Amino acid sequence: MEKIGMRICIAGAGAIGCTLAARLAASGQSVSVLARGETLNSLQRDGVCLIDLEGEHRASVNASDSAEALGPQDLIFVCTKVPALTSILQQIQPMLHEETVVIPVVNGVPWWYFQGAEGRFADTRVKAVDPDGELSRLIPAQHLIGAVVFITAVRKAPGVVESTNPHLIILGEINNQLTERLEQIRGLIESSGIEARASDYIRDQIWTKITANLTSNPLSVVTEATLEQIYSDARLSPLVRQIFDEVIQVAAAHGARIRFDPQTFMELGAGMGAVKTSMLQDHEQGSPLELAAIGHAVLELAALVGLNMPTTRHVLALTDFLASKRRSAQAA
């Protein structure tokens, strides 16, 4: 796979997708975007725009709502919320060729978590995320590279995104190998101005992100609090610490290492500022919440190793209730 001339597609033009599209296209890469509706019209007319810590980045992209029209791609970033994964993986099928690399940029426990892994849970299906195995059938394991994205971005308008924090992506082969294609893609992303690292055990980074998501996202829906409030308010931080302790026990039981001590973790969370989590933004907009991957899949992995997560389970139940209440109000 050659770095120069690589055919790159961003499937999903939300905040993270547009951030990647803007940075990659502005660095001179030829970027296609699979989008629809108002966002598609905006991308075709005005291109993509990102405002971040380094200024404003505008670039033209080849936007379409047809995977067939975009044609075969060498690298596809799947940037969508978990509830839409099956649909978008079905859509990208015409873009796949034998050596296409697919990088799912999603939150929570990935459907492929036990693929390429060793031990007694090897090839176990994560039922909360992939109940019938459809995701695994759509994207065979050899196409996959795992990713953990630490990008905080907000969609200001169709095709226009703002980010006030540094960008970081950590990549890893799902079989823990440091391969040539992994390094090529890491370098490609790095050259666009996004910090990119290659990991020989991407599951460590997945659990770090899960810990951040699970200690903040559901609780933000229940409390309507910002990240700064969740991690620093004396009324909330003890609850956050209980969830943190439960998550790291499950991570350790599955062989992962989280390198933050609790106090540093809380300080980093508070340092994100008065930012609403993506789950709270989805809740306010009446969109489906990513509770299956961020929450219920973690409970599933906990059950596999005989662990209970009572505080996490209770917060998830409250979040489920509020989301269901909002759905009922919208349907009325």
Side-chain angles (χ1 to χ4, degrees), residues 154-193:
V154 177
R155 180 179 180 270
K156 307 299 287 186
V160 180
V161 177
E162 183 175 4
S163 177
T164 57
N165 290 296
H167 310 311
L168 169 63
I169 295 180
I170 303 175
L171 304 166
E173 296 278 5
I174 67 172
N175 63 0
N176 307 321
Q177 301 298 307
L178 292 173
T179 62
E180 182 181 353
R181 71 174 188 174
L182 176 65
E183 176 55 28
Q184 288 177 341
I185 293 169
R186 187 210 64 78
L188 177 86
I189 297 171
E190 186 85 46
S191 68
S192 76

Side-chain angles (χ1 to χ4, degrees), residues 217-263:
N217 278 262
L219 192 57
S220 73
V221 174
V222 175
T223 63
E224 299 183 350
T226 66
L227 288 173
E228 182 178 23
Q229 292 168 328
I230 287 168
Y231 290 107
S232 65
D233 190 289
R235 295 161 293 187
L236 297 179
S237 54
L239 186 59
V240 174
R241 177 59 194 272
Q242 289 176 31
I243 297 172
F244 176 90
D245 290 344
E246 292 177 359
V247 176
I248 62 172
Q249 284 185 59
V250 179
H254 283 283
R257 301 157 293 175
I258 296 176
R259 293 177 173 83
F260 292 114
D261 65 90
Q263 186 58 37

Side-chain angles (χ1 to χ4, degrees), residues 33-213:
V33 179
L34 187 64
R36 61 184 182 182
E38 193 177 356
T39 301
L40 173 61
N41 294 333
S42 176
L43 291 172
Q44 290 177 332
R45 183 182 63 247
D46 303 320
V48 64
C49 176
L50 167 68
I51 301 100
D52 65 10
L53 294 177
E54 295 183 8
E56 184 175 298
H57 312 272
R58 288 185 176 273
S60 297
V61 293
N62 178 26
S64 175
D65 59 359
S66 168
E68 290 88 348
L70 293 177
Q73 302 291 314
D74 302 313
L75 175 60
I76 303 173
F77 292 93
V78 177
C79 302
T80 187
K81 299 295 178 70
V82 172
L85 258 180
T86 300
S87 174
I88 203 162
L89 294 187
Q90 290 170 342
Q91 290 179 55
I92 69 171
Q93 293 301 302
M95 294 193 287
L96 300 179
H97 61 74
E98 186 176 344
E99 295 186 2
T100 300
V101 173
V102 177
I103 301 181
V105 181
V106 294
N107 286 322
V109 179
W111 80 85
W112 52 261
Y113 186 84
F114 291 113
Q115 296 180 29
E118 299 178 349
R120 64 191 179 106
F121 300 122
D123 295 323
T124 298
R125 187 166 75 247
V126 184
K127 296 177 183 177
V129 182
D130 193 13
D132 58 4
E134 178 69 5
L135 301 180
S136 299
R137 286 193 292 271
L138 287 168
I139 307 295
Q142 68 267 21
H143 288 291
L144 290 167
I145 283 181
V148 181
V149 176
F150 296 94
I151 294 176
T152 304
V154 177
R155 180 179 180 270
K156 307 299 287 186
V160 180
V161 177
E162 183 175 4
S163 177
T164 57
N165 290 296
H167 310 311
L168 169 63
I169 295 180
I170 303 175
L171 304 166
E173 296 278 5
I174 67 172
N175 63 0
N176 307 321
Q177 301 298 307
L178 292 173
T179 62
E180 182 181 353
R181 71 174 188 174
L182 176 65
E183 176 55 28
Q184 288 177 341
I185 293 169
R186 187 210 64 78
L188 177 86
I189 297 171
E190 186 85 46
S191 68
S192 76
I194 297 173
E195 182 182 357
R197 304 174 190 167
S199 171
D200 62 356
Y201 196 75
I202 191 63
R203 290 162 182 82
D204 284 354
Q205 305 302 330
I206 288 171
W207 278 106
T208 299
K209 184 69 179 290
I210 287 171
T211 305
N213 282 331

